[in-house]
Structure formats: structure tokens, C-alpha cells
Amino acid sequence: MKHKTLKGFQDILPPEISVWQHIEKISRDVFKTYGYQEIRLPVLESTDIFTRSIGETSDIVEKEMYTFTDKGDRSVTLRPEGTASFVRAYVEHHLFNNPAPQKFYYMGPMFRYERPQAYRYRQFYQIGAEAMGVEDPKLDAEIISMLSKILNSTGLEGVNFELTSIGCKNCRPAYRDALKNFLRDRLNSFCGDCQRRFDLNPLRILDCKVPGCIESRQGSPAVLDHLCADCKQHFDGLKRNLETLSVRHSINPNLVRGLDYYTKTAFEVTSESLGSQKAVAAGGRYDGLVDEFGGPPTPGIGFAIGMERIIPLIKGSMSKAEPPDLLICPLGQEAPEKGLLLAEQLRSSGIWAEVNYEQTSLKSQMRKANRLGAKNVIVLGEDELKKGEVVVKNMVNGTETKAVLEVQELKKIIKAGK
RNA sequence: GUGAGUGUAGCUCAGUUGGCAGAGCAUCUGACUGUGGCUCAGAGGGUCGCGGGUUCAAGCCCCGUCACUCACCCCA
């Protein structure tokens, strides 16, 4: 084959696209009831939008960004995630002047230059939400509850909500030091990756799956014990509010976020039936990010759902091709043109009508109707045109109904047979 | 970036110790001239991923390369 999609990119073809539309529709409906409005952002941004916010040493920035130089010699990057772009837009358009909370959602492609594997692509789609201007944990609880509602409404099954607080710029450094002090003496009992993480991102050692590392980190200081008064109060409030809203969740103090801008609340939705890439949605609070983009200090919280990751979990995601309501089978000299016109008229009244373009035997036209799954067939031949009368054949039960060759009457019969 | 596995028809896959490229499904056509599904008969469809080597002879053996898949790292 000469031309193919790039590695990690994919075409999404018709039968499958209906699952995508289903998820998007449900998300929009739920967002609306929570007051979230759609925002569309560019997929290409100036590179520093991402390097500054996501963190210079994060894996995304270090090795996963689609970065290149444009014709004006500017460094530009295909967005690897949505929040940085969103906050840029939020500040650029002074959206903080609207009454808080300002709530937005977006859906679209993200790009990361990673080695593809199951449920991981270089272009992947996220549905994301961002709520700005409120620090109260009630908003955290509400947005998590909304995420839960979206996932449940799509028919998703068997996911777990995990939750933690990773502190703020006041208490996290102290925790980081405490953790490093604990790990330093026993560092050689950890795997090579973890030894590298020690300097880069020691918190990530808590997330390592190597059995020896799980063993060695027993008794390490816990983030939740090192939260400052403010963060602790926030986290306690969140837990209480989630109880109130009956959002099922578990606390996982080892949850780690890969992006630098997160503060306080961090959460992740996982599925065990997905293989190794098991995160289906994740998010958290980012109270310092607007500030960093030059806006007024403004708290924010958001999440993103991975489309490709929830689709395989949705019951009945094996979608079938949609069948047309009607196939018109013309026979003879006059019929093809008349059929073309009739189809057009029926379409105007909301019927999915197809006409056979080729003059083949009736038998092969009927066979085609069957292959298409057409719900009804009208044979349009010399007799029918002469009498001004046709037979509508219902292909599901085989019944035939005589009808005058007139749009309203045909519409009635076809709609009734649906 | 690292490791392993797999590449044969549109799809799923057979292909023996190296000896003419195959099946099922799908598509199309036909079976007393205007009625589908079931059945039957038939047809089209291939650079055996690509390049080189060994051999009288390679889908099969050897080397290289590319792609895909899964996993690591990391993430939605």
C-alpha cells in the first residue's frame, strides 16, 4: 500500500463513528445541565505555552511534543493536552471578568509523540472541562460528580474513581523533602527507573509497579499527612461533599500527576479491563496557573476524558451500519429519472431514500436492497408510472402495500413501517 | 527512546522436508424476461510488507529494512 496514515494516527470510519457521536451527544447534554459552555481552541500553539505550564522536566515536554518551526521561524507545538491552551485563552480574553465560576468544555484531538500501543495513539481525542474562579471544594465535588455522570450516562461499566490531594506550593516542597530523606538511604534497593526518578520527580516512586519498589517504599511518609492546614481543610471538605453527592470513590495517596501545574485535588478514573493503559479520565486543581499566564490569581479545576479509552468499555460499542428507509428500484426507460425525483421529494420530508442508479435486473436490485438493509422497496416501472400507483414492499416482514404515487401517502406508509 | 511478537485476497487465516498461490466470510453475476433473505453454480480480487542473498527452484532458509501489535517509560 502506497499511502498510509502516520504511525499512531488513525481514521475513524462510519460504523464506529456513531459511538463517538453518542458519547459527544451525552457529554454535551450533561455539560449543559451543569452550566458548562463549549469553547474551541486551536490545536497549534506557541511552544512556550506548554513548556512553562506543563513543566520543563515533565515527560510530555521532554520527549513527547510535536514541536517544529513554522515559516516565520517561530517554535510551535501541536497541543499535547487542553488545559494550557484553555488557560491561555482564559487570560487572553479576560474571561475572569465574568461572574465566577466560569465553566467551559471542549472536545478535540491532542498530540503526543509516543510509541503507540493499545489505547494509546499519537493523535488522540479528549473531552475536557474546566471551571474557574472558585476555590471551594464544593466545586471540586461537583465537577467530579459531573464526570461520573457523563461516564455513567455513556453506558460505561466497571471504572474506579481514585482521589488524593497533592498539596500546594506551600506544603508540597516540605513533603518532597521528607520523602527524599526517607528514600535516600535505601535508594539502591529500588529499580533503575526509580533511582532516576529520585532527582527528577521523587513522588513518582510511589507509583512504581515493580514489586521490589513497592516493598522498599513501605513506611514512607504520606502526602496526606503533610498537607498544610488550608489543603487539609480543602481535602476534608471535598471528601464530605462527595459523600453528600454519593460519588463512589477511593482515596489513593500514591496517585501522581504528570503535569507540574496541579495543586490540591488530583483524581483519576481507571478501568481494570483495559490492559496497561488503564486511565480513562483524569484531572485536578490548578490554582496557580492563571497567575503564571499573567492573569489575576484565579483558582481552577478541570478534567479530561480519553475518548479512545472509554469507547471499548461502552456496552454495545459494536455498532452496526445504519440502513436506509427506502430503496427505489427503477425499471424501463422513464423510471430512472422519475425515481431520482421521487427520492428527492421523499428526502425533503425526512425520509432516507436511495435510488438505484444502474439499470440492472429487478432481482439484482432486490438483492441490493437486502444487502443495504433497506427497510422498504418501491419498484418503479412502466405499469406504475402509467397507473400512478406503486407497491411499497416492507423488507422486514415482506408485506406489500398499494399506494398512490404521491409523496405524503408514501411517507405515511414508510414511516408506519419503521 | 528500550524490548518482544507478527506481516499471504477487502476481512479472518491455512500453506507439509523448499516444488504451479489456497480456504471461509465479504463483493459481483446467474439458476423458466418484474421481487430480496435460504440453497446451488460461477466470477473478479495477490508485487506472499520491501530489498538483497543461498538454491535448478523461496510464501517457506539467511541478512537487512519498513510497518503493525503488545509491553517498558509515561500518560487520557
Side-chain angles (χ1 to χ4, degrees):
Chain A
M1 216 167 299
K2 205 166 178 186
H3 302 291
K4 299 171 72 174
T5 53
L6 292 170
K7 185 201 282 285
F9 288 69
Q10 57 170 349
D11 302 312
I12 300 148
L13 304 174
E16 204 200 330
I17 202 79
S18 61
V19 186
W20 288 67
Q21 291 168 342
H22 163 77
I23 294 167
E24 288 164 0
K25 164 105 173 48
I26 281 168
S27 303
R28 287 181 197 283
D29 290 349
V30 175
F31 281 136
K32 193 167 187 185
T33 64
Y34 281 80
Y36 283 71
Q37 294 186 295
E38 183 169 8
I39 183 169
R40 298 202 186 184
L41 303 162
V43 293
L44 195 66
E45 297 270 3
S46 178
T47 300
D48 58 337
I49 299 288
F50 304 114
T51 48
R52 290 229 325 274
S53 59
I54 296 171
E56 301 276 359
T57 59
S58 70
D59 266 53
I60 292 179
V61 169
E62 272 190 341
K63 54 177 200 185
E64 295 174 2
M65 293 211 305
Y66 268 95
T67 297
F68 49 91
T69 308
D70 73 4
K71 292 184 179 181
D73 215 28
R74 287 171 284 260
S75 178
V76 294
T77 297
L78 285 166
R79 60 179 184 191
E81 57 109 31
T83 301
S85 296
F86 165 74
V87 172
R88 191 227 78 231
Y90 180 80
V91 174
E92 184 171 335
H93 302 285
H94 308 286
L95 298 177
F96 41 77
N97 284 332
N98 297 326
Q102 305 96 16
K103 300 167 170 176
F104 300 92
Y105 75 90
Y106 55 82
M107 24 186 91
M110 307 294 162
F111 304 83
R112 287 182 203 172
Y113 194 89
E114 299 176 272
R115 191 80 151 247
Q117 71 189 75
Y119 314 115
R120 170 200 274 170
Y121 304 91
R122 287 182 172 181
Q123 175 174 337
F124 58 100
Y125 289 79
Q126 289 189 339
I127 295 177
E130 315 283 355
M132 309 300 292
V134 170
E135 209 170 347
D136 194 286
K138 286 198 281 295
L139 178 65
D140 303 41
E142 185 186 272
I143 201 171
I144 292 170
S145 179
M146 178 175 75
L147 171 59
S148 165
K149 189 172 288 183
I150 290 173
L151 296 178
N152 287 333
S153 306
T154 57
L156 202 70
E157 296 189 322
V159 292
N160 317 304
F161 274 73
E162 293 182 325
L163 184 71
T164 192
S165 174
I166 56 172
C168 61
K169 63 177 189 296
N170 298 323
C171 51
R172 192 153 23 153
Y175 170 65
R176 193 183 150 112
D177 288 344
L179 181 63
K180 286 183 85 165
N181 285 338
F182 173 85
L183 295 170
R184 189 167 288 119
D185 301 335
R186 58 201 92 193
L187 196 57
N188 45 23
S189 68
F190 283 88
C191 69
D193 283 326
C194 280
Q195 298 192 18
R196 201 168 42 80
R197 289 173 181 130
F198 181 77
D199 290 314
L200 234 54
N201 189 349
L203 304 216
R204 181 144 288 142
I205 295 176
L206 300 173
D207 199 31
C208 183
K209 298 162 204 102
V210 175
C213 298
I214 295 173
E215 177 82 18
S216 300
R217 69 173 180 244
Q218 290 294 319
S220 63
V223 231
L224 296 177
D225 296 336
H226 285 71
L227 296 179
C228 63
D230 183 33
C231 288
K232 186 175 186 327
Q233 194 187 0
H234 186 273
F235 189 55
D236 290 341
L238 171 58
K239 285 188 288 189
R240 214 171 43 242
N241 294 332
L242 285 174
E243 293 298 327
T244 303
L245 298 178
S246 311
V247 176
R248 290 178 59 185
H249 64 278
S250 56
I251 307 298
N252 177 3
N254 295 340
L255 202 63
V256 178
R257 303 282 69 208
L259 287 62
D260 282 4
Y261 53 64
Y262 283 115
T263 56
K264 293 183 179 162
T265 308
F267 54 94
E268 193 165 287
V269 186
T270 59
S271 160
E272 290 309 322
S273 53
L274 217 51
S276 117
Q277 306 305 324
K278 58 187 185 136
V280 299
R285 187 165 266 285
Y286 45 89
D287 288 348
L289 195 53
V290 173
D291 205 356
E292 209 165 299
F293 272 90
T298 308
I301 182 167
F303 67 74
I305 301 169
M307 275 292 242
E308 292 86 348
R309 301 228 173 137
I310 65 170
I311 284 171
L313 301 175
I314 291 175
K315 254 197 319 188
S317 68
M318 296 291 290
S319 51
K320 279 191 285 185
E322 288 284 308
D325 296 323
L326 171 71
L327 178 69
I328 298 169
C329 300
L331 291 171
Q333 289 296 313
E334 310 273 305
E337 296 249 332
K338 299 278 189 211
L340 191 67
L341 178 62
L342 178 61
E344 199 71 359
Q345 291 166 337
L346 287 166
R347 286 165 185 155
S348 298
S349 57
I351 286 171
W352 176 5
E354 295 288 336
V355 214
N356 228 351
Y357 305 111
E358 282 136 31
Q359 279 282 63
T360 53
S361 70
L362 183 60
K363 183 192 268 292
S364 92
Q365 297 203 51
M366 290 300 292
R367 202 190 318 240
K368 180 164 181 176
N370 199 56
R371 293 272 153 82
L372 288 174
K375 294 171 195 155
N376 296 280
V377 164
I378 290 177
V379 177
L380 202 60
E382 313 267 318
D383 294 352
E384 286 82 359
L385 290 174
K386 204 180 296 169
K387 285 192 226 156
E389 210 174 75
V390 293
V391 170
V392 180
K393 176 158 184 175
N394 182 311
M395 296 295 279
V396 181
N397 55 29
T399 56
E400 300 192 344
T401 312
K402 247 192 198 168
V404 178
L405 189 42
E406 189 270 324
V407 174
Q408 286 312 311
E409 180 162 351
L410 293 176
K411 176 184 168 183
K412 214 179 296 169
I413 294 167
I414 292 164
K415 285 264 160 90
K418 264 188 170 178

